[in-house]
Amino acid sequence: MDKPVKIVPYNPHWPEVFQKERSKMRIEFGKESINIEHIGSTSVPYLCAKPIIDIMIGIEGIEDFEKLIRPLTALGYKYQPEAEDSIPERRYFDKPGFHIHMVERNSDFWRTHIFFREYLRNHPDVRDEYCKLKMDLAEKYQFQSKEYTKSKEPFIKRILRKMEIQR
């Protein structure tokens, strides 16, 4: 059985938690030229979310990720190579309360996650619709996190089609 899907109301401290973690990463990474973005539902004001801060690290090339393993491990993150089976272009790390998605800055993964975040930030009606969907799905798939995630896909794809229109 999966971990329970728990959706909570927006916490105005989430951006501050992200900024503190980002500052720690900047110190550990030193002079590396790396983009660090807050993504996922906790990055959208007033959006309900699972209480996990998603961080996207943008690197020049995926081969550059190895030099960041040690600094992230020093911050308590665990590298999860098995996650590459489902998303080969992403390197995934986690620790309690945080998920890291490391990808190339010019990748579709990077662009779509930034677009989705910005779209929800700028369209409160869509943000609220997404929250309702998440609450409904969390109730329906309380102990089936894969089904919960899969069931959000049509909504997410609908929003991402708007990105294609804007190109």
Side-chain angles (χ1 to χ4, degrees), residues 16-117:
E16 180 184 333
V17 172
F18 163 73
Q19 288 299 341
K20 285 180 180 176
E21 197 69 11
R22 180 186 199 181
S23 294
K24 292 176 193 175
M25 287 179 184
R26 290 255 179 248
I27 292 167
E28 286 294 324
F29 294 162
K31 295 179 182 174
E32 295 292 330
S33 174
I34 293 164
N35 295 76
I36 304 171
E37 294 283 339
H38 187 186
I39 61 166
S41 295
T42 61
S43 72
V44 179
Y46 310 109
L47 179 58
C48 60
K50 290 188 277 183
I52 297 168
I53 305 295
D54 282 289
I55 298 172
M56 185 166 62
I57 297 177
I59 56 178
E60 191 62 36
I62 203 67
E63 65 280 354
D64 296 335
F65 97 94
E66 286 189 22
K67 60 185 163 192
L68 299 178
I69 293 175
R70 182 171 286 135
L72 289 171
T73 301
L75 292 172
Y77 288 94
K78 184 174 188 312
Y79 173 44
Q80 305 287 350
E82 64 279 1
E84 294 161 34
D85 294 344
S86 58
I87 307 175
E89 69 276 14
R90 176 192 68 168
R91 302 300 178 258
Y92 179 76
F93 298 77
D94 66 0
K95 72 178 183 181
F98 296 89
H99 293 165
I100 291 181
H101 312 269
M102 188 182 305
V103 297
E104 293 179 355
R105 280 188 290 260
N106 64 353
S107 67
D108 283 341
F109 190 102
W110 179 271
R111 284 191 295 277
T112 58
H113 281 75
I114 297 295
F115 179 87
F116 190 73
R117 177 193 70 192

